[in-house]
Amino acid sequence: MLLLALAAVLAVAGRVQAQTPANPATASAAKIAEAEIEVRSVDHALDQQVDDADRRALRDRAQGAKDVTTQAVSDLSEQLALVNARITGLGPVTPGEVEAPELSAQRKSLGSLRTTLDAAIKRGRLAGVEAGQLVDEIDQSQAEQFSEKLSTKAPSPLSPGFWIVVLDQAPRDLRRVGLFLQQGHEQISRQWRGGVPWHALLGFAVAILLLGPVRLAAHRLAQRRLIAEAPPSRVRRSAYTFWRVAVGTLCPLVAAFVLVQGLRWSGLLPQRWTGFLNGFVFATGIAGFTAAVTGAVLMRSQPSWRIAPIDDETAARLRPLSWGLTVLTFATAVIGAFELAIGSSRSATVATQATMALLHLLLIVATLVVLGRIRARRAAQNDTTSAGVSAGLSVAALLAWVAVVIAGLALVIGYIWFSYFVALMIGWTVLLGSALYLMLVAADDIATTVFVRDSRIGVTLTRALGIRGAMVDQFGLVLSGIVRLALVLLALGMFLRPFGASGNPGAIFDQLAAVADGIKVGNVWISPGAILRGLAVLLVGLGLVRAFMRWLEQRYLPATDLDGSGRNSVSLVARYIGIALAVIWALASLGIGVERIALLLSALSVGIGFGLQAITQNFVSGLILLAERPIKIGDLIRVGTDEGDVKRISVRSTEIELADHSTLIVPNSELITKSVLNKTLAGPLGRIQIQFSVPIETDADLVRGIVLDCFSAEAAVLTDPMPKAFIDSIIDGRIHFNCLAHVESPRAAYGTRSAVLFALLAALRDKGIEIGTLPQKMELVRHSGTAAHGSPAQAG
């Protein structure tokens, strides 16, 4: 009915000039109708009991319906905006006047079209809301099912009751196994009598070739080609590593597929074996991937191609354990597929899970013991440069010990599925972490090698587009960071997949497991789970900020043209913005919205107005210093009577190193509101000034030449600008000289001035030229009454 009404209105509007296009609106309405049908179908399907695979398929259908309705509503909203614009262009009806029939018909048709579009938009939004609710319901059911499995308790494997149940069900399970094998044997016998199964034999031969000669030849071929053609760089090692992983995964997978397909084409296996054979192919592929990834990380036989910071001894000790992980991974997948194919009893499944959990835990303990012994021996030898276990790996080992202890206690108590899950997750974490490490290193190697100013692409971009070399380097670093961040999010989604998450990187943090209910205060739920989640989000945010700052300060900023002060300014601003975003993210994870954060800041403003004025003033002054940069790191400044070099500028204070190597901490507000002498702001040069006087009888040109010679003899004095010697004045029978010269830095002025004075004093003394102040002479004349007294008495 909606489609018919919309089509009728559009048909009428089609006769009106400048009408709204009909096809987009009709198509959007049809998509909404289809989405509604899909939502109802998913809703009905959820009324019945579904397994995990069907639940994931239903979630994908509901999510697809939601995406379709969102796009359709967006398209219809654009059409509605066009219709409203047309109606606005017609203007209101003038009272008392008869409107032309064409305008009246157009107004009526546009009004009907607007009503229909508005109704379609509302239906689309409603369908989108229903689809979103179904997605949330499916996610919640997955989380609840996962929690139910974790909390399931069985009798302890150490108790007789556990094995009594297993033995009671053992005859039935053995009959199922026997029937399964008998069906396969009968099928093989029946088909073998009909002739030689060439398909199966050919598949077996191809599988052997793929696992042996083909795989080894591919490794040797790639190594020879890379050595001969690729330049010696990190990209060559990364390419060889990825080739090893690809060959090591695809060869076993294709071999298993060819073998199984040959058996199927020969008709040697019954239809009931289909699920088991598919599980066998999957188990072979995941086992091959495990062996390839761990082998690529360790590179025991080819240490020169190893990209992980692992020494030879550690690689040699861990390689057998990695093969053990591969065997356990294959056995776990194959046994699971076999039990599903024969329909084994619950007791047999629980016993199998307990056994596999115990084997996994023993393998993990063996690995941790090996790593601990290696680290202890290196510590005893005081060998810290070649230690096989880094600090981060030590923390991971500690967490693994804790997980092993918890899983072991859970296994003993009877929480078998929980122990089994924890053991598998430890192995999955090791495998996923190893693959992620290889991908992160490869992404960084490729991006920072291809996009560099000296590479072919960098030279082409520089010459063709006029891009600076620093910009090419920065683009490579930014590209590396983006790709690595995407890989981390993808790996995080895959890590959360066993917990019931969809694996979609965009919905990773929206699909976390439900936490326990708490106390509702206003519109905010406060619970232990929420507090822990907020702390976890804060730690993750601060960790991301720290990692970003390390990349920014060590990788990106050195590739820019900024000086040290500019890098410090960018680094400080980025750090505080990152910390603020991490705090806001943590508050948002607690359910505290932006409006509540604004209310909290308003409350804090009262305290700022009373007791935090000085701190706020220094903070704002620090931001001004970082933005305007009147003072930079390395500048020689004078604050009051103190003079020194600027060593650090923070948002609260500035540190100045004085001549006696002490540190003067000045609040930033002092540098903004008071006078500061910056001797290196306009230029880096320092000036020397020497003033002295000589008697007026002295040859001024000779003195000038001596001064300039003394300046020229000193290596620290610059020739550009040239030294100058001026006659400042002639007073009291003396010539006053004012001599100026420049050095590379104000810091060198004092020592250079002293050296010039030493040379000048010696040169003037050799020439017999007196400098300084001439001793004054005073004569006392006394008139006597007789000439006998002779000349007047003199005193001096």
Side-chain angles (χ1 to χ4, degrees), residues 559-614:
T560 63
D561 297 331
L562 297 176
D563 55 6
S565 180
R567 298 176 188 177
N568 178 72
S569 301
V570 174
S571 176
L572 284 176
V573 173
R575 177 179 290 108
Y576 283 101
I577 291 177
I579 294 175
L581 292 178
V583 173
I584 293 175
W585 186 22
L587 294 177
S589 67
L590 294 175
I592 302 176
V594 180
E595 65 281 356
R596 294 186 178 87
I597 297 175
L599 182 62
L600 178 63
L601 294 178
S602 300
L604 290 177
S605 63
V606 179
I608 293 175
F610 285 99
L612 303 177
Q613 290 182 355

Side-chain angles (χ1 to χ4, degrees), residues 344-613:
S344 62
S345 63
R346 176 175 174 80
S347 61
T349 302
V350 173
T352 302
Q353 291 178 351
T355 304
M356 299 307 298
L358 179 61
L359 293 177
H360 276 85
L361 292 178
L362 291 177
L363 178 64
I364 296 168
V365 169
T367 304
L368 294 176
V369 169
V370 169
L371 292 177
R373 289 179 178 177
I374 293 175
R375 183 175 55 181
R377 184 165 58 255
R378 298 302 174 90
Q381 297 174 355
N382 294 325
D383 186 1
T384 59
T385 58
S386 60
V389 183
S390 62
L393 196 57
S394 301
V395 176
L398 178 61
L399 296 177
W401 274 115
V402 174
V404 167
V405 172
I406 294 175
L409 293 176
L411 181 62
V412 173
I413 294 173
Y415 291 96
I416 296 176
W417 198 90
F418 174 80
S419 177
Y420 177 72
F421 176 78
V422 171
L424 291 184
M425 283 304 299
I426 295 176
W428 173 239
T429 303
V430 171
L431 179 61
L432 185 62
S434 301
L436 177 62
Y437 175 80
L438 295 178
M439 289 188 293
L440 291 179
V441 173
D444 184 65
D445 291 344
I446 294 174
T448 56
T449 303
V450 173
F451 293 98
V452 69
R453 67 181 70 188
D454 297 332
S455 64
R456 294 181 179 179
I457 296 179
V459 173
T460 302
L461 293 175
T462 303
R463 294 178 179 178
L465 303 179
I467 300 176
R468 293 184 294 113
M471 293 296 295
V472 178
D473 297 341
Q474 295 170 33
F475 176 77
L477 295 174
V478 171
L479 179 62
S480 171
I482 294 175
V483 174
R484 297 171 78 180
L485 178 61
L487 291 174
V488 170
L489 293 178
L490 180 62
L492 186 58
M494 297 180 65
F495 177 78
L496 295 178
R497 187 65 178 265
F499 295 93
S502 65
N504 183 9
I508 290 174
F509 298 103
D510 296 333
Q511 298 173 350
L512 296 175
V515 296
D517 294 337
I519 301 174
K520 187 177 182 181
V521 180
N523 294 326
V524 179
W525 285 92
I526 303 297
S527 65
I531 295 175
L532 293 177
R533 181 177 60 191
L535 292 176
V537 170
L538 180 61
L539 292 177
V540 170
L542 294 179
L544 293 176
V545 171
R546 184 176 180 180
F548 173 75
M549 293 305 303
R550 187 184 301 112
W551 172 82
L552 181 68
E553 294 174 352
Q554 298 180 3
R555 301 293 301 277
Y556 181 76
L557 289 179
T560 63
D561 297 331
L562 297 176
D563 55 6
S565 180
R567 298 176 188 177
N568 178 72
S569 301
V570 174
S571 176
L572 284 176
V573 173
R575 177 179 290 108
Y576 283 101
I577 291 177
I579 294 175
L581 292 178
V583 173
I584 293 175
W585 186 22
L587 294 177
S589 67
L590 294 175
I592 302 176
V594 180
E595 65 281 356
R596 294 186 178 87
I597 297 175
L599 182 62
L600 178 63
L601 294 178
S602 300
L604 290 177
S605 63
V606 179
I608 293 175
F610 285 99
L612 303 177
Q613 290 182 355

Side-chain angles (χ1 to χ4, degrees), residues 285-301:
I286 193 65
F289 179 73
T290 303
V293 169
T294 54
V297 172
L298 297 176
M299 285 285 184
R300 182 180 61 87
S301 59

